[in-house]
Amino acid sequence: PVPGPIALVGGQVYSMDGGLQALPATVLVRGGRIEALLPAHPGAPSQDLPADARVIDVTGLFLVPGLIDAAISYDPEHDALYVTSSVTTVRDTGNDVARLLIERLPPSRARTPGPALLMAGPILDSSTATSSQALILSDGPTTRERLGLLFETMDERARALGLAEGAMRPDFLCFQPGLQPDAWRALIEVAHGPAGLAVWGPVPTAIGREEFLASGQDGLLGLQILLPPGVGWHEAAQADLQPGLKALA
C-alpha cells in the first residue's frame, strides 16, 4: 500500500450505514485502509485534508465498500477479475493446502493486484468424500487426532520457513455437508479450543435446526436451514421461511 494519505474526491459514496442513497463524500485512505469518510455535500462542515495527501479526482464515479466473496475455490488467475469487480476479500472454503499457503503469504499477495485471501485449509469431509484432497473426519476421536496432526504439520512448515508459529495455519475451518454428527461436534470443539478458529459450513445432514443453532458454529453456507421439514425450494412459499428466519435472527 502507498504509505502516505490518499484523498478520493468528487465521487458518490455508498457507505456501511445501511442507507441506499449514495452521497457526495471524500474518502481518505492511509496505508491501504480507509481512515475517514468526509462529507462533501452543501452545508457539510469543511474538512481540511492532510497537507501531504495525494488527491485523486473521482468525479462522476461511485465508490462502494470492498465486497467479500465468502465461498470460493481460489484461483490466482481470477485476481484481476475480483479487483475490477470491487471484491477485496475472498474466503476459500477448502482447497490444495500447500498451494494456498504460499498464495496467502505477503509476497504472493503483492505479486499482482488481488483480494485479501482467507483460507480454510483442506476440505473437511466424511468417508464418502469425492475429493482426493479431502481430510477425512469419520468420527469424534479421528477428528481430534487428525486436526491436531494438521496443526502440528503446519507449524513445522512455518518454522522451516523461518515464520512465526501459527503463520501457516488456516484462517478458519470449513466442512462438507456429509460430516457425521460426532465428527461435526468434535470439529467445533477443537476449533474453538486453543486453536481459536471459526467453523463454517452447511447444516450437517443429520443435525436438526435446534442443535445447529445451539452448537456455536460461526458461519453458515447454504440456506437449507430455512426450509420446513419435507418442503423443497420449488414448493416453499415465503411464509414457510419465516420460522427459520426468525430462528436465525
Side-chain angles (χ1 to χ4, degrees), residues 144-155:
R144 296 181 183 90
E145 177 186 1
R146 292 192 171 179
L147 288 178
L149 290 173
L150 173 68
F151 297 150
E152 288 178 12
T153 300
M154 289 179 161
D155 289 345

Side-chain angles (χ1 to χ4, degrees), residues 153-230:
T153 300
M154 289 179 161
D155 289 345
E156 288 175 1
R157 183 166 188 183
R159 288 191 290 269
L161 293 173
L163 301 174
E165 186 169 305
M168 301 298 275
R169 289 195 180 193
D171 299 294
F172 65 106
L173 298 176
C174 188
F175 63 90
Q176 299 299 306
L179 207 63
Q180 294 301 305
D182 54 346
W184 170 72
R185 297 183 189 105
L187 169 61
I188 295 175
E189 172 194 318
V190 173
H192 288 178
L197 296 173
V199 176
W200 282 58
V203 179
T205 304
I207 297 296
R209 181 188 292 170
E210 290 187 5
E211 182 178 359
F212 172 79
L213 293 174
S215 69
Q217 182 173 314
D218 305 278
L220 174 64
L221 298 178
L223 297 176
Q224 295 300 114
I225 193 174
L226 300 181
L227 292 173

Side-chain angles (χ1 to χ4, degrees), residues 85-96:
S85 301
S86 301
V87 175
T88 57
T89 301
V90 295
R91 295 174 67 96
D92 184 281
T93 55
N95 212 316
D96 179 344

Side-chain angles (χ1 to χ4, degrees), residues 40-41 47 63 74 88 118 139 144 178 184 204 218 222 234 246:
H41 55 81
Q47 303 278 357
L63 285 74
Y74 177 72
T88 57
L118 304 178
D139 53 34
R144 296 181 183 90
W184 170 72
D218 305 278
H234 62 286
K246 184 176 180 181

